[in-house]
Amino acid sequence: MAAALMVQGTCSGAGKSQLVAGLARILSDEGLSVAPFKSQNMALNSFITEEGAEIGRAQALQAEAARLRPTADMNPVLLKAQGDRGCQVILGGKVHGNMTAREYYAFRDHVWPVITESYGRLSSEYDVILIEGAGSPAEINLSEQEVVNMRVARHANSPVLLVGDIERGGVFASFYGTHALLGSDAEYIKGYVVNKFRGDVDILTPGLDMIRQKTGVPVVGVLPWVGDLGLDEEDGLALPYGGMASRNTGHGAKTLKTTVLRLPYISNFTDLAPLQAEPDVELSFSVNAVEVENSDIVIIPGSKNTTLDMDFLNKSGLCQSIRRAARRGAEVVGICGGYQMLGRRIKDPLGVEGGPSDVEGIGLLDVETTLRGDKTTTQTEAATGLYGNTATLRGYEIHMGETTGDTGLMDFKRLHSGQTHKDGSQKGNVWGTYLHGLFDSDGFRSCMLNTLRKRKGMPIPDSPISYESIRQGNMDRWAAILKENLDMDFIRGLLRQ
């Protein structure tokens, strides 16, 4: 059986996912076979494995850090919020159904065997399992129902590192309060990690000593505030609702101003990370009409509830702004749910996303979408001549809709089934597709941006940047920061217990 180490947090967003990813890279570099595991994840950013299973994007990132192929066992339960309808419940990578919170808690006895079976398979195959918790383990109103924090620690007999976000304030109170509320489960907490600290660590020393005296648990690391690590975020909570410029080439330099619609149910916004890595792309997530109408590129991303997000665009007036941007010559791109919204109508006769509905789309593409009960989850290869591209694209599909009309922008091959079909639509400077991850292709991204750079009179780079090299460099940089600021000897000792 594998050694186990669990990372829990005093709150959501404390840094659990990225700490697991960094530790996975460190231990992998040391020659250990390491697998990530999160029994239950609630997130709208997801990933499709080679077998067509849907898991949380964070576990895919952690597997990549460990130099592994992601599998469904790494995240056996995925919950995707759907507004008033509660959550879509995904077990073992496949949709089980929609449930309210009350229904899901009543269902938990059926979930636990799925979790333990997945953990058992991983534990028999790898040297180390790095387990990620969710939210806080001290949600005492949920202690009898939870299947993701201390119940997992007990099952795996795993020591726990508790991470706190000092930038939010009250980190020592959070450590102390969590420890106090856990009762006998507090014995699993073996070390605290302070995350996102700015300033002189010596100032913290009295607090580090006092928290050990009060709880008997040492602080085994103080991690600096790093800013943008360039690693995938787990969910839309990481995105602001106002404009956020992600890159700036300097005063007076021309940029490709790119606005991504910050939809209420935005999902898989990790599609845009390769554009953020381009030095002359100024990217923001926004619902500001002025920003939309003055952009060079407008992107409507994926959505977990396309009809509600379409309703938001209609009621906010942003549909008109998107149309004005298109008439002005901006490149308007829709990915998955965004592709559906660019069409004429979105029909939901079965009530997949709520009650049965028939919603007017933006109308920039001559297509319409009908939502179906079956969910398409597959890795996909695509060929397209868009922007003069000749590279084969590779990405994945996650959708519950069928789009018909003026389609045929791309030739799809679904890798798991071998099925081929036409996808996507284009009308002038507006286009859309179901292919997530298409901007990861350096060749396609370069063709698109160079076309737009020429239009704007911007210089053309000598060669495209390698997004994969940037990702791996970011992971290595984060691992180096952890090695410098964590007591790795202490952590290795936990793995030997």
Side-chain angles (χ1 to χ4, degrees), residues 187-261:
E187 68 184 31
Y188 287 96
I189 300 178
K190 303 302 181 184
Y192 302 123
V193 177
V194 177
N195 195 18
K196 304 179 187 177
F197 178 70
R198 307 177 192 235
D200 186 349
V201 176
D202 290 341
I203 297 173
L204 280 184
T205 300
L208 307 184
D209 294 338
M210 289 176 66
I211 197 67
R212 179 168 191 165
Q213 292 168 9
K214 290 181 177 295
T215 65
V217 178
V219 176
V220 298
V222 177
L223 305 180
W225 186 91
V226 180
D228 183 10
L229 285 171
L231 302 178
D232 295 342
E233 294 287 354
E234 187 170 60
D235 212 342
L237 291 174
L239 296 176
Y241 276 91
M244 181 187 71
S246 61
R247 292 292 182 270
N248 192 336
T249 58
H251 179 71
K254 284 187 177 180
T255 60
L256 289 172
K257 298 185 184 300
T258 303
T259 299
V260 181
L261 273 294

Side-chain angles (χ1 to χ4, degrees), residues 6-10 16 131 133 135 137 149-150 153 160-163 182:
M6 188 168 193
V7 176
Q8 297 183 9
T10 59
K16 300 182 293 292
I131 309 170
N149 286 311
M150 281 302 172
V160 172
L161 295 179
L162 184 65
V163 186
L182 285 176

Side-chain angles (χ1 to χ4, degrees), residues 141-158:
N141 58 310
L142 302 177
S143 59
E144 296 301 319
Q145 291 87 15
E146 68 95 0
V147 292
V148 67
N149 286 311
M150 281 302 172
R151 188 174 182 184
V152 176
R154 291 193 298 270
H155 176 78
N157 192 27
S158 174

Side-chain angles (χ1 to χ4, degrees), residues 4 12 45 65 69 100 191 227 234 250 253 255 318 369 448 456 484:
S12 295
N45 276 348
R69 179 177 57 85
T100 64
E234 187 170 60
T255 60
L318 283 169
T369 298
M448 171 181 159
K456 199 171 179 179
E484 183 179 350

